[in-house]
Amino acid sequence: MLRKYALALALALVVAATGGRGAAAAAAPSPGAAVPHGAYSRRSVDAPPQLGAAVNAVMLDAGDPRYVHTIVRHYGSVTPEYEMEMSQLEPERGRFDFARADRIVSFAARHGLPVRGHTLVWDQMIPAWVTGREWTRSQLLHILHRYIQTVVGHYRGRVGEWDVVNEPLTDGGSLRHNVWERVIGPGYIALAFRWAHRADPRAALFVNEYGAEWRDAKERALHRLVVRLRRAHVPVSGVGFQAHLRLDAHPPQAEFTGVLRSFAGLGMRLEVTELDVRAGGPAPLARRLAEEAAVYRSVAAACRAVRACSRVTTWGVTDAASWLGASQRGLPFDSSYRAKPAWLAVRSALTPRA
Ligand code: XIL
């Protein structure tokens, strides 16, 4: 036991001393300087192409060059963290506002980074005008259809893949009784995929879920859902595993690899879409960071082991801007943009050996 902690501490100290991949961070211009968007050549980056990051407009607009630098240098794709939620894109009925999401999409285009769209149909982050009253089935069908058509149409050719349906299942494995399911019925899922496909036939369309990284009721239900959709010729192309994990709650690598394989067997593209690891707690920081790195490594290695698994996206970049709060230290870069052991782990698990 003690040896393990000593090793972890040594690893953390080495990382701290060298700044991890900190040469990059140290060379970054000081915060506050204008962000030289065009200044970063992606030719010399150490970004594994399969590694993505959720990026948000508040951070981009704040203009800390370390934020841009870290994304451009260390990541190969982006997901808008919240800017493509329905509450953002259609804040009032019939009034679409693409401004913030567009800023992220053009930032990505400037740097040659593909974009994952997140997310078309979810029971959270929907505007008050949707939740604040009762709708008939045909009214809500019309609202959802127009929403999907407008949003996917707006980004056709610029957003290559979409989380079409987010978190459709309960932990017990039943369909979540959200507003879409209650008013439209369980068929809302198939309809959403068909409408998205019609709006952009080339986009890859995903169902995205959390807590399905283990072999249990929810994972089995997700599997059954995909089988049903495929049988009905619904254009679903992939399954996203969010992977919001914790030091004391993460799947063994072999178990997650097995889950990925069984979905690959259905012909699905697979991605880890929202990886982060809650690493708060009373244990010494060095030990927590080393354990966190082991979780990152095992998730990335599971994806790497399955050909159909093409990308691991972390839900943010720096602990300073994580939805979990900085004290959870859930992301690969610390609050000063120094690479953590988690970054070294995920990068080496994804980078092919020379
Ligand atoms: C979080 C984001 O980080 C916030 O910015 C957002 O507004 C709300 O939730 N599952 C998801 C993500 O699919 O959209 C959530 O993101 C985290 C859980």
Side-chain angles (χ1 to χ4, degrees):
M1 238 6 190
L2 262 179
R3 254 190 65 162
K4 206 171 115 199
Y5 298 162
L7 268 175
L9 183 64
L11 172 62
L13 286 177
V14 168
V15 170
T18 58
R21 295 292 307 158
S30 62
V35 182
H37 279 314
Y40 302 109
S41 157
R42 288 188 48 77
R43 242 169 277 139
S44 61
V45 300
D46 66 349
Q50 325 87 310
L51 185 64
V55 167
N56 80 59
V58 170
M59 291 296 288
L60 270 189
D61 293 348
D64 183 339
R66 296 174 302 176
Y67 186 67
V68 172
H69 184 88
T70 306
I71 294 161
V72 170
R73 180 166 165 81
H74 298 300
Y75 286 88
S77 64
V78 305
T79 305
E81 183 177 350
Y82 64 85
E83 296 78 357
M84 290 182 176
E85 292 163 355
M86 190 182 193
S87 54
Q88 300 288 317
L89 294 184
E90 194 180 358
E92 288 163 41
R93 191 172 185 187
R95 184 174 70 79
F96 286 83
D97 180 358
F98 291 108
R100 268 180 302 270
D102 283 355
R103 279 210 291 286
I104 296 190
V105 171
S106 31
F107 163 79
R110 261 199 310 282
H111 295 291
L113 302 167
V115 180
R116 301 195 82 243
H118 172 83
T119 172
L120 297 171
V121 193
W122 191 19
D123 66 340
Q124 293 181 41
M125 307 303 165
I126 39 186
W129 66 265
V130 172
T131 50
R133 55 162 280 189
E134 293 298 317
W135 302 97
T136 65
R137 182 167 189 275
S138 76
Q139 284 173 326
L140 206 59
L141 277 171
H142 176 76
I143 287 167
L144 189 59
H145 184 193
R146 180 158 83 139
Y147 179 76
I148 291 175
Q149 200 174 34
T150 307
V151 172
V152 177
H154 180 82
Y155 288 112
R156 184 172 40 234
R158 292 187 291 157
V159 169
E161 59 187 74
W162 284 98
D163 288 332
V164 176
V165 175
N166 198 34
E167 305 180 353
L169 300 169
T170 66
D171 290 348
S174 55
L175 269 196
R176 204 175 271 286
H177 290 305
N178 58 37
V179 60
W180 314 111
E181 196 270 349
R182 268 189 295 106
V183 180
I184 296 175
Y188 84 91
I189 297 178
L191 285 169
F193 277 97
R194 294 193 198 285
W195 290 332
H197 183 64
R198 216 170 296 151
D200 185 355
R202 301 169 85 114
L205 305 180
F206 282 69
V207 54
N208 195 45
E209 187 54 276
Y210 73 88
E213 297 84 10
W214 289 260
R215 286 209 172 280
D216 63 9
K218 193 172 198 178
E219 180 265 337
R220 283 192 296 277
L222 185 59
H223 199 271
R224 283 195 303 273
L225 174 63
V226 172
V227 168
R228 279 201 304 278
L229 294 172
R230 297 280 287 172
R231 277 205 194 117
H233 305 290
V234 173
V236 51
S237 21
V239 178
F241 295 85
Q242 292 185 5
H244 291 294
L245 305 173
R246 307 192 332 212
L247 291 186
D248 59 356
H250 57 87
Q253 186 177 324
E255 186 168 346
F256 185 40
T257 309
V259 168
L260 292 173
R261 287 222 167 93
S262 73
F263 283 88
L266 299 177
M268 289 293 98
R269 277 171 66 163
L270 309 171
E271 294 188 27
V272 174
T273 51
E274 303 184 17
L275 177 60
D276 53 22
V277 180
R278 278 174 207 253
L285 179 61
R287 185 176 131 205
R288 285 185 279 132
L289 294 184
E291 288 179 2
E292 175 183 60
V295 177
Y296 267 89
R297 178 180 298 106
S298 98
V299 170
C303 180
R304 184 89 204 285
V306 179
R307 187 187 291 271
C309 187
S310 53
R311 181 180 286 154
V312 174
T313 291
T314 64
W315 203 240
V317 168
T318 161
D319 289 339
S322 163
W323 74 303
L324 302 173
S327 65
Q328 288 298 329
R329 298 177 193 267
L331 290 169
F333 291 84
D334 75 11
S335 289
S336 308
Y337 294 86
R338 282 186 301 249
K340 293 162 60 186
W343 161 252
L344 301 180
V346 80
R347 191 189 51 163
S348 74
L350 290 178
T351 308
R353 271 174 269 288

